[in-house]
């Protein structure tokens, strides 16, 4: 797909929102995109689908885009949604309400394009809107990136001359400051993950704040820009030369929101790399996603999944409209027509090290033939919202192979334990559930962990120029079977998958990738696992080395090859 001029990007944005025009409700306050449900109210889910389109439409309008029917839809929808008597009222909020998340998109619009979302409203409609937004100050919200939602809402209300909470604004900014770790990294809350929420939430909102409040709060705006520049020099290691970003962690159904950090850098004039390099990351990233028709359903609605529709990998908070968080990637659309971004040539990736220690993120990042792989220590909180251990606790996460989530723990076929050491006892498969400590070095990672009571493991992971090496020491109270698995290789019919199984070697190869495993002991095997377990491909095969584990100490080594 040709992506270079502003018109090119406008076309791709419009191709996402135009199919939704007929799906708004009569008074436009809700957007009905499907019947799946979440742990929050369906009223909030329908409102979420409405609000999330604004992450794309607002910068489009701010950059001079035509009003189009959507400007009227959103002014009308806001008026109805915040009017308790309208019949399409969004509802009164409560502690930890999902609607607080969506208030951030509305505040984004009020800060960048008040002429679309505020000025068309009548005086009474403005009163309703401001009053409804202010309720975020009356409730408890989680101690994580959500604090930025309240920052943006209060900033917008202050800008409009409406009631706002200076106390909450200052307290939330101080709370966010307490999350900072160094090297541009934050933690997402008191014990939070270091994942995409640092990029597409905390940094994204901090840069929006820097743009909106640069004159009123210049010291903090400058600090946010400096931290984003530091973060960029590490975050770039999460991206492959072909535009793919490493599938890792939760909320991956937000897809090209992975690019929103780079887009926000452009919006805030943060240039950690030449602007052509940043444009190259965005262009290749959008092409990576839009070359794949399976991210949309038959009505051209973004589905819940990653490279295809897949509810198995979803979180409890993934409603039909949730994937439109992806629209954050279009923040750069707010750039004026004469900005150099629109004319500069997309450039290749900046020069990167083969192996990079991301100390504050507790991981190593490696590059091999242009692909990106992350080796995380495996930090995990008690926030369980859907297959969390598989999203954070595998040995490696790759832009080529993705990762798998299980259908069940009953046998290798349904558990699909790729890129991990798993143990089979009583016909059940156990993978890492807890960490007992780790050591992150410049060129390797040592993790102490356990899959269940009675088995303790120390694993040393060493990136190489062909993949990586895993050295395991297993202390077990049981005789059992262990499988040291490579990546899950796509084996759809058109991939022409070739499987090889030998005494101490196994491989799965298709027309575009290869993963092989080898050891001095054990036996090679390849399992075609249950369909729709892998995020990248609906049909995969996993090569593994099978080891017989005896009571006591067991030591063995596995070589993982990837291409």
């Amino acid at each position: 797909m040709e992506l270079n001029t502003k018109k090119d990007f406008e076309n791709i944005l419009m191709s996402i929102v135009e199919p939704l025009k007929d799906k708004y409700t009569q008074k436009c306050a809700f957007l009905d995109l499907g019947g799946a449900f979440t742990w929050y109210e369906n009223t909030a889910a329908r409102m979420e689908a409405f609000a999330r389109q604004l992450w794309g439409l607002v910068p489009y309008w701010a950059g001079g885009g035509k009003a189009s029917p959507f400007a009227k839809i959103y002014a009308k929808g806001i008026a109805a949604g915040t009017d308790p008597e309208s019949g399409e009222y969004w509802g009164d909020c409560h502690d930890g309400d999902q609607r607080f998340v969506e208030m951030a998109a509305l505040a984004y619009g009020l800060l960048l394009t008040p002429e679309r979302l505020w000025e068309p409203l009548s005086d009474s409609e403005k009163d309703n809107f401001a009053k409804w937004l202010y309720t975020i100050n009356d409730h408890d919200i989680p101690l994580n990136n959500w604090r930025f939602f309240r920052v943006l809402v209060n900033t917008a209300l202050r800008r409009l001359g409406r009631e706002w909470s200076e106390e909450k604004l200052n307290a939330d900014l101080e709370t966010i400051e307490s999350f900072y770790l160094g090297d541009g990294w934050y933690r997402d809350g008191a014990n939070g993950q270091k994942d995409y929420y640092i990029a597409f939430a905390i940094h994204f909102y901090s840069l929006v704040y820097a743009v909106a409040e640069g004159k009123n709060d210049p010291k903090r705006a400058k600090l946010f820009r400096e931290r984003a520049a530091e973060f960029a020099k590490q975050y770039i290691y999460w991206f492959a030369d072909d535009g793919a970003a490493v599938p890792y962690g939760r909320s991956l159904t937000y897809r090209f929101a992975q690019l929103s950090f780079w887009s926000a850098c452009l919006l805030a004039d943060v240039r950690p790399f030449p602007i052509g390099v940043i444009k190259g990351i965005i262009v290749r990233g959008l092409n990576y996603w839009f070359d794949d028709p399976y991210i949309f359903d038959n009505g051209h609605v973004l589905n819940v999944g990653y490279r295809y529709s897949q509810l198995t990998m979803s979180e409890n908070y993934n409603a039909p409209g949730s994937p439109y968080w992806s629209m954050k990637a279009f923040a750069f659309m707010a750039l004026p027509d004469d900005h150099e971004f629109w004319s500069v040539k997309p450039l290749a990736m900046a020069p990167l090290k083969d192996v990079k220690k991301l100390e504050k993120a507790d991981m190593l990042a490696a590059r091999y033939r242009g692909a990106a792989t992350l080796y995380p220590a495996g930090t995990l909180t008690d926030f369980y919202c859907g297959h969390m251990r598989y999203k954070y606790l595998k040995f490696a996460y790759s832009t080529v192979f993705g990762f798998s989530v299980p259908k069940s723990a009953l046998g290798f076929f349904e558990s699909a334990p790729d890129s991990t050491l798993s143990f089979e006892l009583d016909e059940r498969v156990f993978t890492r559930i807890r960490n007992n400590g780790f050591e992150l070095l410049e060129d390797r990672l040592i993790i102490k962990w356990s899959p269940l009571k009675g088995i303790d493991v120390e694993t040393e992971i060493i990136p190489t120029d062909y993949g990586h090496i895993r050295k395991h020491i297993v202390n077990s109270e049981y005789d059992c079977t262990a499988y040291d698995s490579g990546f899950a290789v796509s084996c759809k019919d058109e991939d022409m998958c070739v499987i090889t199984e030998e005494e101490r070697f196994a491989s799965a190869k298709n027309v575009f990738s290869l993963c092989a495993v080898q050891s001095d002991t054990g036996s090679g095997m390849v399992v075609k696992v249950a369909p729709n377990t892998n995020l990248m491909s609906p049909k995969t095969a996993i090569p593994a080395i099978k080891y017989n584990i005896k009571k006591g100490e067991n030591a063995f080594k596995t070589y993982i090859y990837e291409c």
Side-chain angles (χ1 to χ4, degrees):
M1 183 189 327
E2 181 67 28
L3 289 175
N4 193 46
T5 67
K6 193 171 190 178
K7 184 63 177 176
D8 294 334
F9 291 102
E10 286 178 352
N11 288 340
I12 197 171
L13 173 61
M14 287 297 108
S15 76
I16 301 170
V17 298
E18 285 286 348
L20 308 180
K21 278 193 303 187
D22 297 332
K23 300 181 185 296
Y24 291 86
T25 50
Q26 183 180 5
K27 295 184 179 179
C28 300
F30 298 108
L31 186 56
D32 288 325
L33 298 181
F37 287 81
T38 65
W39 61 12
Y40 48 86
E41 305 95 319
N42 195 42
T43 298
R46 297 165 72 221
M47 182 266 175
E48 173 191 78
F50 167 91
R52 293 199 172 184
Q53 312 309 319
L54 290 172
W55 290 117
L57 288 170
V58 164
Y60 167 72
W61 291 327
K66 296 178 181 178
S68 73
F70 288 100
K72 292 183 179 180
I73 287 172
Y74 275 84
K76 181 179 179 180
I78 288 168
T82 56
D83 178 1
E85 306 301 323
S86 74
E88 291 194 10
Y89 180 48
W90 289 333
D92 295 338
C93 296
H94 52 74
D95 290 349
D97 202 305
Q98 177 66 25
R99 282 162 284 213
F100 297 151
V101 182
E102 314 320 322
M103 284 185 184
L106 295 166
Y108 185 55
L110 292 174
L111 289 168
L112 296 189
T113 56
E115 69 277 9
R116 300 295 184 206
L117 302 185
W118 180 256
E119 293 171 13
L121 304 181
S122 68
D123 289 346
S124 62
E125 289 168 345
K126 289 175 180 176
D127 290 342
N128 286 337
F129 189 14
K131 181 180 178 181
W132 187 82
L133 286 173
Y134 183 84
T135 62
I136 195 172
N137 295 303
D138 298 330
H139 298 282
D140 292 334
I141 59 176
L143 191 67
N144 56 20
N145 72 87
W146 281 42
R147 294 303 174 104
F148 250 127
F149 305 151
R150 196 156 59 190
V151 167
L152 294 181
V153 167
N154 278 308
T155 301
L157 289 173
R158 181 177 65 180
R159 178 78 64 84
L160 295 171
R162 295 290 171 146
E163 183 182 7
W164 62 287
S165 174
E166 183 177 11
E167 178 187 359
K168 296 290 188 183
L169 176 61
N170 291 333
D172 289 334
L173 287 169
E174 289 175 8
T175 297
I176 292 160
E177 183 62 28
S178 73
F179 298 160
Y180 189 66
L181 299 171
D183 297 338
W185 284 92
Y186 293 81
R187 51 187 168 85
D188 187 18
N191 298 300
Q193 308 301 111
K194 293 107 175 191
D195 54 22
Y196 281 107
Y197 276 84
I198 312 308
F200 62 44
I202 293 178
H203 273 296
F204 184 91
Y205 303 133
S206 73
L207 292 174
V208 171
Y209 180 87
V211 170
E213 292 294 285
K215 292 182 179 179
N216 293 327
D217 192 358
K219 184 177 179 181
R220 185 174 277 114
K222 180 174 182 288
L223 182 65
F224 283 159
R225 285 183 167 96
E226 290 172 348
R227 287 178 178 173
E230 286 186 80
F231 178 74
K233 294 172 184 176
Q234 302 215 353
Y235 186 51
I236 195 171
Y237 280 88
W238 290 34
F239 290 80
D241 289 357
D242 67 355
V246 180
Y248 169 71
R250 66 187 179 99
S251 295
L252 291 175
T253 197
Y254 299 163
R255 295 184 173 105
F256 42 98
Q258 296 160 335
L259 299 167
S260 63
F261 168 78
W262 304 108
S263 191
C265 283
L266 293 168
L267 182 67
D269 198 29
V270 175
R271 302 194 183 194
F273 302 103
I275 196 166
V277 171
I278 297 175
K279 184 171 184 176
I281 293 171
I282 291 172
V283 167
R284 290 188 296 273
L286 290 175
N287 273 314
Y288 173 82
W289 284 109
F290 286 90
D291 283 348
D292 190 342
Y294 297 111
I295 66 173
F296 295 97
D297 67 15
N298 291 336
H300 207 73
V301 173
L302 281 172
N303 53 49
V304 175
Y306 195 64
R307 294 292 282 182
Y308 61 98
S309 177
Q310 189 210 37
L311 287 176
T312 308
M313 57 78 72
S314 67
E315 286 85 28
N316 298 338
Y317 52 82
N318 289 163
S322 296
Y324 287 91
W325 184 283
S326 302
M327 302 294 273
K328 286 183 171 183
F330 290 98
F332 66 88
M333 294 299 299
L335 299 175
D337 291 349
D338 59 355
H339 195 281
E340 64 179 299
F341 176 81
W342 306 118
S343 59
V344 72
K345 180 180 179 181
L347 298 179
M349 288 286 280
L352 301 175
K353 294 181 179 180
D354 292 339
V355 178
K356 173 74 172 177
K357 179 182 177 182
L358 307 182
E359 183 173 7
K360 301 301 182 182
D362 300 331
M363 64 176 62
L364 294 176
R367 304 191 71 75
Y368 179 62
R369 295 189 179 180
T373 304
L374 300 180
Y375 300 97
T379 54
L380 188 65
T381 70
D382 58 359
F383 178 53
Y384 291 104
C385 54
H387 290 311
M388 290 288 277
R389 66 183 63 165
Y390 309 103
K391 296 171 182 177
Y392 293 94
L393 298 184
K394 294 182 186 284
F395 293 141
Y397 294 83
S398 164
T399 53
V400 176
F401 303 100
F403 67 89
S404 303
V405 293
K407 291 260 179 103
S408 80
L410 297 176
F412 199 106
F413 174 76
E414 288 200 359
S415 62
D418 61 326
S419 198
T420 192
L421 180 65
S422 57
F423 297 83
E424 188 172 31
L425 290 90
D426 194 25
E427 299 182 352
R428 294 179 65 85
V429 173
F430 298 85
T431 57
R432 184 172 19 156
I433 60 171
R434 65 179 63 89
N435 277 357
N436 299 320
F438 68 90
E439 184 178 5
L440 182 65
L441 304 174
E442 294 293 333
D443 65 341
R444 65 192 63 203
L445 174 63
I446 301 169
I447 309 168
K448 295 180 179 180
W449 58 279
S450 175
L452 75 162
K453 187 176 181 179
I455 298 180
D456 292 301
V457 186
E458 180 177 292
T459 297
E460 182 177 0
I461 300 171
I462 309 169
T464 66
D465 59 2
Y466 55 79
H468 63 279
I469 301 169
R470 304 173 190 166
K471 298 179 181 179
H472 304 288
I473 299 174
V474 177
N475 285 285
S476 177
E477 296 180 7
Y478 322 101
D479 291 337
C480 60
T481 301
Y483 304 93
D484 204 5
S485 304
F487 295 107
V489 177
S490 182
C491 280
K492 302 190 299 292
D493 297 346
E494 62 269 25
D495 295 337
M496 295 186 289
C497 192
V498 176
I499 288 171
T500 302
E501 296 177 319
E502 296 178 0
E503 181 58 27
R504 295 182 176 87
F505 175 87
S507 70
K509 181 181 184 298
N510 59 31
V511 293
F512 58 88
S513 65
L514 160 75
C515 181
V517 294
Q518 187 173 9
S519 179
D520 296 330
T521 59
S523 57
M525 56 178 283
V526 179
V527 177
K528 287 191 173 182
V529 294
N532 306 315
T533 48
N534 185 265
L535 273 67
M536 302 281 278
S537 174
K539 297 173 71 173
T540 59
I542 301 175
I545 299 293
K546 180 179 179 180
Y547 296 99
N548 293 319
I549 303 298
K550 302 297 183 182
K551 291 180 182 179
E553 183 173 290
N554 303 256
F556 49 95
K557 182 193 303 183
T558 307
Y559 300 85
I560 311 295
Y561 302 89
E562 56 180 291
C563 180

